[in-house]
């Protein structure tokens, strides 16, 4: 086991007792009255879809039957509008009102404990949901930029606003537990979760970890008034060798590794984070899920008084998966025993509650998990719930421990309807965050900002063909692709391409804007040129309409010049999440693909074989149109906008472009943010680190091969194309 730990002082409350520790005595008395099965149930968080029958009906009564401490919405779960949670391609019923209905049905399932001398104590549920860049499971929600974009703003206020609005929306859904924030340090862009990381500056990550948790949980020193946070993924998940998701961190100097990767957790601990989620990854091939760092580091030295939760099916992965985390496998009984005794208090699982109960009963009966350890785990979970007013304590018991509570009935979980002013405020906070996250990488001859009053021709380019399993599906135009602005963890786990979830009323409530939307609000439609496909799923018609557009540009090329014409070319990664976004994993190249977890769950937008490069190039059609337009005037400006979750290899488009903007995945307000920046309605700042790279930007794939390895210094990409902190600024011009 790892025992090389560098400890940093940890702040606790002024009275010397932590926020949750003050409830330990009361929690202990409740635990002493619980049955073994009630205790086991409290240590379990189950995907709610596991309670569904073959007809898709959710049987909520199983929650109380198994005495569960928590349930979660999996990445692909959506309400059906009839009170059930289903896994479906159609999530249009995933409104706050329908989520609230699910929450109310869930909260009716209580665990009843009779405390001797005091009577009935009712323990309520923790309802968990992902919140990677806002309340992402709710259709019509305003979504903020992903973390790597927020990190490019270097503005803590943007994190506070993101936490505030995420909290408000989750509470409106009736939920109380958010799986956020991720406080990982950015290393290798080949990692499919790179966009969830917070940049390369550990001091800044510490600051935002503290600020985000403080706003999300909204504790007053006695109670959590907001949403329980889950700081994740402890720790080093952003530093896996070669960027393999669920992979291994190669560490030769543990002190250097520790000090660089733990800071976000220190910040979150200072803000009284209620839970910490443990990473799938390993350090020197020891999976974090069974590492004694959980006990030695968090609980003993940092005096963490909340509870530790695993990631989804983490112990099962330790037991059976092997690579990419580690070659070592073990029995499921050993995995749960070591994980639990290492300090894991709650296990997140997909379902099969009876199987988990059987495993726990077996290892407890064998004496492999001491009764004291089980009681400690349940005590920690109940202490957090007490701080959240999720336990209805009998009056005499409450008086005994001087416990005050606000009883929350499930019928009253609905928040007040968001006012129009609130909706506007949320949108403008997301818009500001998106604008401040943009990074200007090239600005030839100070092209930007552009005087929109001189522009009479705007040509929009940037298209991608989508094929699935060899069959053509449709074409996407990334200048009008709100899904591509949001990336993964949007509505569902892997995200979406297109605008299906941002149309009509959903577009109004989210105020979502593509680049095309923002351009249309500023220019007459007659001056905006792009292919208007009558059927984006008909390949024959697509080619015909492309050819017609090409001929139209040829016939009208005399009207285009450097003064009156602007070409906006958009490049975009397909949405992805977790290992489906990994690039160039060696295990995916072996014949048996052992250790390759790509395509274990299919992302319909990605190829069957894992890509080996992050290179982005202009499409042939885009090249043709640019060349035609520039035939009469080679200096007609081309502005390229890149929507991505990470730095990409951009040699070709950077050379062609007059200006180049790294927009990351800027969220629902991304289109408006980009267009404001192009036309000087927002100026790229660069001062104060706004609009600057939070990470170095590599030149080629070789620079991130066999990277990172922690030796005597923090690993760095040598001679990057753009250094960390790079970003060009724009200055106001006489635009009128």
């Amino acid at each position: 086991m790892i025992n090389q730990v560098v400890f940093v002082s940890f702040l606790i409350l002024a009275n010397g007792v932590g926020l949750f520790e003050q409830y330990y005595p009361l929690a202990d008395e409740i635990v002493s009255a619980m049955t073994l099965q009630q205790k086991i149930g409290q240590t379990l968080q189950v995907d709610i879809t596991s309670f569904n029958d073959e007809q898709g009906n959710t049987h909520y009564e199983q929650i109380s039957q198994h005495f569960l401490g928590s349930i979660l919405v999996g990445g692909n779960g959506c309400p059906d509008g009839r009170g059930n949670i289903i896994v479906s391609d159609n999530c249009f019923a995933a409104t706050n009102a329908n989520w609230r209905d699910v929450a109310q049905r869930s909260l009716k399932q209580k665990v009843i404990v009779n405390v001797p001398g005091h009577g009935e104590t009712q323990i309520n549920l923790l309802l968990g949901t992902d919140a990677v860049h806002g309340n992402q499971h709710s259709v019509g929600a305003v979504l903020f930029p992903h973390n790597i974009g927020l990190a490019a703003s270097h503005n803590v206020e943007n994190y506070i606003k993101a936490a505030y609005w995420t909290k408000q929306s989750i509470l409106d859904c009736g939920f109380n537990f958010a799986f956020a924030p991720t406080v990982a340090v950015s290393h290798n862009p080949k990692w499919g979760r790179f966009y969830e990381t917070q940049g390369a500056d550990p001091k800044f990550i510490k600051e935002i970890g503290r600020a985000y948790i403080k706003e999300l949980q909204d504790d007053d020193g006695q109670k959590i008034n907001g949403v329980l946070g889950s700081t994740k993924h402890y720790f080093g998940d952003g530093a896996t060798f070669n960027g393999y998701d669920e992979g291994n961190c190669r560490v030769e100097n543990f002190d250097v590794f520790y000090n660089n990767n733990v800071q976000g957790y220190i910040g979150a601990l200072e803000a009284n984070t209620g839970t910490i989620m443990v990473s799938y990854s390993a350090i020197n091939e020891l999976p974090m899920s069974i590492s004694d760092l959980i006990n030695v580091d968090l609980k003993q030295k940092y005096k963490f008084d909340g509870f530790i939760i695993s990631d989804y099916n983490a112990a099962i992965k330790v037991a059976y998966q092997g690579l990419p985390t580690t070659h070592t496998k073990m029995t499921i009984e050993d995995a749960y025993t070591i994980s639990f005794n290492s300090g894991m208090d709650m296990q997140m699982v997909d379902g099969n509650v009876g199987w988990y109960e059987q495993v726990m009963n077996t290892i407890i009966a064998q004496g492999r998990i001491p009764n004291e350890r089980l009681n400690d785990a349940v005590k920690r979970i109940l202490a957090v719930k007490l701080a959240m007013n999720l336990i209805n304590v009998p009056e005499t018991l409450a008086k005994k421990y001087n416990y005050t509570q606000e009883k929350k009935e499930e019928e009253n979980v609905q928040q007040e309807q968001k006012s129009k002013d609130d909706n506007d405020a949320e949108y403008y906070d997301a818009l500001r965050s998106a604008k401040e996250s943009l990074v200007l990488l090239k600005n030839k001859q100070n092209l930007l900002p552009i005087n929109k009053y001189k522009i009479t021709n705007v040509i929009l380019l940037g298209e991608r063909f989508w094929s699935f399993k060899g069959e053509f599906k449709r074409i996407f135009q990334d200048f009008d692709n709100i899904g591509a602005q949001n990336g993964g963890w949007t509505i569902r786990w892997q995200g979406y391409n297109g605008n299906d979830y941002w149309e009509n009323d959903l577009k109004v409530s989210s105020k979502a804007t593509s680049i095309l939307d923002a351009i249309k609000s500023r220019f007459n439609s007659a001056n905006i040129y792009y292919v208007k496909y009558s059927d984006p799923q008909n390949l024959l018609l697509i080619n015909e309409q492309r050819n017609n557009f090409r001929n139209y540009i040829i016939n009208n090329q005399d009207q285009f010049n450097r003064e009156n014409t602007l070409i906006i070319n958009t490049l975009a990664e397909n949405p992805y999440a977790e290992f489906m976004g990994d690039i160039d994993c060696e295990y995916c190249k072996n014949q048996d693909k052992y250790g390759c977890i790509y395509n274990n769950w299919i992302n319909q937008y990605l190829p069957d074989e894992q890509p080996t490069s992050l290179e982005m190039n202009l499409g042939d059609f885009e090249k043709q149109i640019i060349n035609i337009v520039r035939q009469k005037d080679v200096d007609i400006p081309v502005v390229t906008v890149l929507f991505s979750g990470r730095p990409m290899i951009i040699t070709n488009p950077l050379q062609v472009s007059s200006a180049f903007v790294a927009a990351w995945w800027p969220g629902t307000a991304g289109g408006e943010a980009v267009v404001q920046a192009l036309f000087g309605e927002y100026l790229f700042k660069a001062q104060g680190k706004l609009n600057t790279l939070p990470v170095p930007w590599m030149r080629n794939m070789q620079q991130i091969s066999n990277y990172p390895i922690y030796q005597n210094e923090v690993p760095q990409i040598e001679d990057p194309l753009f250094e960390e902190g790079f970003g060009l600024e724009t200055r106001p011009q006489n635009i009128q």
Side-chain angles (χ1 to χ4, degrees):
M1 295 290 182
I2 295 172
N3 54 22
Q4 299 168 281
V5 184
V6 176
F7 299 109
V8 185
S9 63
F10 169 55
L11 302 179
I12 57 178
L13 299 181
N15 61 4
V17 178
L19 173 63
F20 308 107
E21 186 182 3
Q22 63 187 309
Y23 299 113
Y24 280 5
L26 173 54
D28 273 331
E29 182 151 355
I30 299 172
V31 171
S32 67
M34 295 173 71
T35 67
L36 176 60
Q37 298 313 307
Q38 287 175 332
K39 293 177 186 178
I40 291 173
Q42 286 298 294
T43 67
L44 188 59
Q45 182 182 71
V46 180
D47 191 325
I48 193 172
T49 59
S50 65
F51 305 137
N52 287 0
D53 59 26
E54 292 182 357
Q55 288 72 43
N57 298 311
T58 303
H59 291 270
Y60 294 94
E61 69 275 6
Q62 293 186 33
I63 296 171
S64 56
Q65 289 171 2
H66 293 283
F67 313 110
L68 297 181
S70 182
I71 59 173
L72 78 143
V73 175
N76 293 327
C78 302
D80 64 357
R82 298 182 296 110
N84 306 302
I85 290 288
I86 59 174
V87 175
S88 170
D89 289 335
N90 183 340
C91 287
F92 287 102
T95 62
N96 279 20
N98 286 334
W99 281 119
R100 194 158 52 241
D101 181 31
V102 168
Q104 291 171 350
R105 292 169 186 261
S106 301
L107 289 170
K108 289 178 180 178
Q109 305 300 317
K110 305 176 188 298
V111 176
I112 309 299
V113 178
N114 284 300
V115 180
H118 299 285
E120 186 177 280
T121 299
Q122 296 180 344
I123 304 174
N124 288 293
L125 274 172
L126 286 167
L127 305 178
T129 185
D130 293 298
V132 178
H133 66 132
N135 189 18
Q136 65 207 41
H137 284 304
S138 185
V139 294
V142 174
L143 296 178
F144 277 69
H146 273 288
N147 287 341
I148 194 63
L150 288 180
S153 78
H154 299 274
N155 187 349
V156 176
E157 184 66 19
N158 289 333
Y159 286 91
I160 294 173
K161 292 297 186 182
Y164 174 81
W165 293 113
T166 299
K167 170 183 64 181
Q168 295 301 111
S169 186
I170 289 175
L171 288 174
D172 186 51
C173 289
F175 281 63
N176 53 30
F177 187 7
F179 305 142
T182 298
V183 292
V185 181
S186 309
H187 289 82
N188 197 321
K190 291 196 294 183
W191 189 34
R193 304 189 83 152
F194 189 90
Y195 60 89
E196 296 183 51
T197 65
Q198 304 285 6
D201 182 355
K203 292 181 180 178
F204 179 68
I205 297 172
K206 178 181 180 180
E207 187 177 2
I208 61 178
R210 183 193 304 113
Y212 193 97
I213 284 292
K214 184 63 178 174
E215 181 58 54
L216 183 71
Q217 294 191 161
D218 188 19
D219 81 80
D220 57 12
Q222 296 294 318
K223 296 293 182 68
I224 288 177
N225 302 300
V227 170
L228 180 66
S230 185
T231 309
K232 59 183 188 176
H233 305 86
Y234 181 81
F235 84 105
D237 55 332
T240 57
F241 182 65
N242 271 325
Y244 298 163
D245 192 33
E246 305 182 20
N248 180 51
C249 299
R250 291 182 54 174
V251 179
E252 297 176 13
N253 188 318
F254 185 79
D255 289 357
V256 173
F257 171 79
Y258 182 88
N259 285 329
N260 197 57
N261 289 277
V262 81
Q263 298 302 319
Y265 298 93
I266 296 174
L269 285 165
E270 291 174 351
N272 299 315
T273 184
T275 70
I276 292 176
M277 187 184 296
V278 177
S279 176
Y280 286 132
S281 59
I283 300 175
N284 292 336
E285 301 200 0
L286 175 64
M288 287 303 303
S289 297
I290 56 173
S291 169
D292 65 355
L293 278 173
I294 299 171
N295 263 330
V296 174
D297 186 29
L298 291 175
K299 292 184 174 180
Q300 294 176 18
K301 297 300 180 180
Y302 282 121
K303 307 299 182 186
F304 173 58
D305 57 343
F307 69 86
I308 307 291
I309 187 170
S310 80
D311 209 332
Y312 204 79
N313 285 341
I316 296 172
K317 287 176 177 286
V318 169
Y320 301 139
Q321 180 171 288
L323 292 172
T325 305
T326 173
H327 291 278
T328 304
K329 293 185 178 183
M330 61 185 68
T331 67
I332 191 64
E333 291 79 8
D334 284 347
Y336 273 118
T337 298
I338 300 172
S339 177
F340 212 87
N341 288 334
S342 295
M344 197 80 74
D345 301 305
M346 182 177 282
Q347 296 285 347
M348 184 192 299
V349 298
D350 59 355
N352 202 345
V353 184
W355 175 81
Y356 174 83
E357 292 170 333
Q358 181 180 348
V359 171
M360 287 296 291
N361 276 301
T362 297
I363 56 183
I364 290 171
Q366 294 171 348
R368 300 176 68 183
I369 295 179
N371 192 53
E372 295 80 6
R373 170 77 270 269
L374 177 62
N375 288 347
D376 176 68
V378 180
K379 173 190 70 178
R380 288 170 172 272
I381 294 165
L382 296 190
V384 170
K385 290 186 177 185
L386 286 166
M388 297 175 68
N389 287 304
L390 290 178
I391 301 180
N392 298 329
V393 181
E395 186 175 343
T396 56
L397 187 60
K399 186 175 181 180
K400 178 180 177 180
Y401 292 98
N402 196 28
Y403 176 72
T404 58
Q405 64 182 347
E406 300 171 11
K407 292 188 177 181
K408 295 183 178 180
E409 301 296 335
E410 61 271 8
E411 291 81 5
N412 296 326
V413 297
Q414 180 174 357
Q415 304 291 299
E416 293 184 10
Q417 280 289 340
K418 185 190 296 182
S419 69
K420 182 180 184 300
D421 288 344
D422 280 347
N423 190 250
D424 289 345
E426 182 178 15
Y427 165 72
Y428 285 115
D429 284 338
L431 176 62
R432 185 190 69 181
S433 297
K435 289 187 290 189
E436 292 182 354
S437 72
L438 305 174
V439 181
L440 183 59
L441 298 179
K442 181 178 181 179
N443 194 23
K444 184 179 179 182
Q445 296 178 342
N446 292 318
L447 170 69
L448 302 184
I450 294 166
N451 187 339
K452 63 175 176 279
Y453 299 105
K454 292 183 178 180
I455 299 296
T456 55
N457 306 296
V458 179
I459 300 172
L460 299 177
L461 301 174
E463 302 183 343
R464 284 180 296 133
F465 287 97
W466 171 33
S467 295
F468 183 59
K469 294 186 175 180
E471 180 183 352
F472 172 76
K473 292 292 184 180
R474 64 162 293 168
I475 192 169
F476 290 109
Q477 296 176 299
D478 290 325
F479 52 82
D480 189 28
N481 188 344
I482 295 171
Q485 293 173 195
N486 282 277
W489 297 109
T490 301
I491 312 297
R492 297 180 75 214
W493 179 39
Q494 293 292 323
Y496 286 96
N497 268 311
N499 297 325
D500 290 349
Y501 286 96
W502 298 277
E503 294 180 335
N504 304 318
D505 289 345
L506 297 179
K507 192 177 185 71
V508 173
S509 62
S510 66
K511 298 182 181 290
T513 53
S514 67
I515 288 177
L516 176 60
D517 292 327
I519 290 293
K520 282 183 174 179
S521 72
R522 290 162 173 82
F523 292 90
N524 186 298
S525 60
N527 302 115
I528 307 171
Y529 302 88
Y530 62 97
V531 187
K532 300 174 180 64
Y533 296 113
S534 54
D535 184 356
Q537 297 177 308
N538 185 325
L539 185 58
L540 186 64
L541 192 56
I542 287 169
N543 287 328
E544 178 183 330
Q545 291 176 332
R546 274 189 160 194
N547 190 55
N548 292 340
F549 182 79
R550 189 184 298 110
N551 289 335
Y552 179 86
I553 295 298
I554 291 172
N555 293 335
N556 290 275
Q557 60 185 321
D558 287 344
Q559 73 185 50
F560 304 129
N561 62 60
R562 74 188 71 179
E563 300 297 329
N564 67 11
T565 300
L566 173 66
I567 301 172
I568 301 176
N569 179 63
T570 309
L571 298 172
E573 281 196 284
N574 277 302
Y576 55 82
E578 298 190 57
F579 46 80
M580 287 304 298
D582 278 6
I583 296 290
D584 196 32
C585 174
E586 63 178 314
Y587 305 126
C588 296
K589 301 173 185 177
N590 299 332
Q591 187 171 0
D592 61 5
K593 295 192 176 181
Y594 172 59
C596 175
I597 50 180
Y598 181 87
N599 260 341
N600 279 8
W601 285 268
I602 291 176
N603 178 322
Q604 58 185 340
Y605 304 116
L606 299 181
D608 291 338
E609 297 295 322
Q610 185 186 69
T612 58
S613 175
L614 289 167
E615 186 173 6
M616 297 287 278
N617 289 302
L618 269 69
D620 290 339
F621 177 71
E622 286 75 14
K623 290 178 183 176
Q624 291 173 8
I625 299 302
I626 290 171
N627 288 336
I628 292 168
V629 174
R630 282 180 161 178
Q631 275 185 355
K632 296 291 184 179
D633 190 339
V634 295
D635 289 328
I636 290 176
V638 175
V639 177
T640 296
V641 179
L642 172 63
F643 291 129
S644 70
R646 50 194 164 190
M648 308 293 289
I649 308 299
I650 54 173
T651 306
N652 169 255
L654 191 64
Q655 183 178 11
V656 172
S657 304
S658 313
F660 194 104
V661 178
W664 313 104
W665 279 336
T668 46
E672 177 67 19
V674 167
V675 172
Q676 284 194 22
L678 297 189
F679 294 114
E681 298 163 29
Y682 171 81
L683 296 175
F684 289 91
K685 300 295 192 301
Q687 304 103 338
K689 291 191 173 181
L690 293 175
N691 306 114
T692 58
L693 291 178
V695 293
W697 193 292
M698 69 284 177
R699 294 178 181 273
N700 52 53
M701 293 299 293
Q702 289 71 34
Q703 290 183 313
I704 52 175
S705 178
N706 299 320
Y707 174 83
I709 300 175
Y710 268 85
Q711 297 172 320
N712 292 326
E713 295 180 351
V714 175
Q716 299 286 338
I717 295 174
E718 296 183 4
D719 187 29
L721 181 62
F722 301 106
E723 298 278 356
E724 175 191 351
F726 178 85
L728 301 175
E729 61 183 58
T730 52
R731 298 181 179 180
Q733 296 182 5
N734 185 20
I735 297 174
Q736 58 183 2

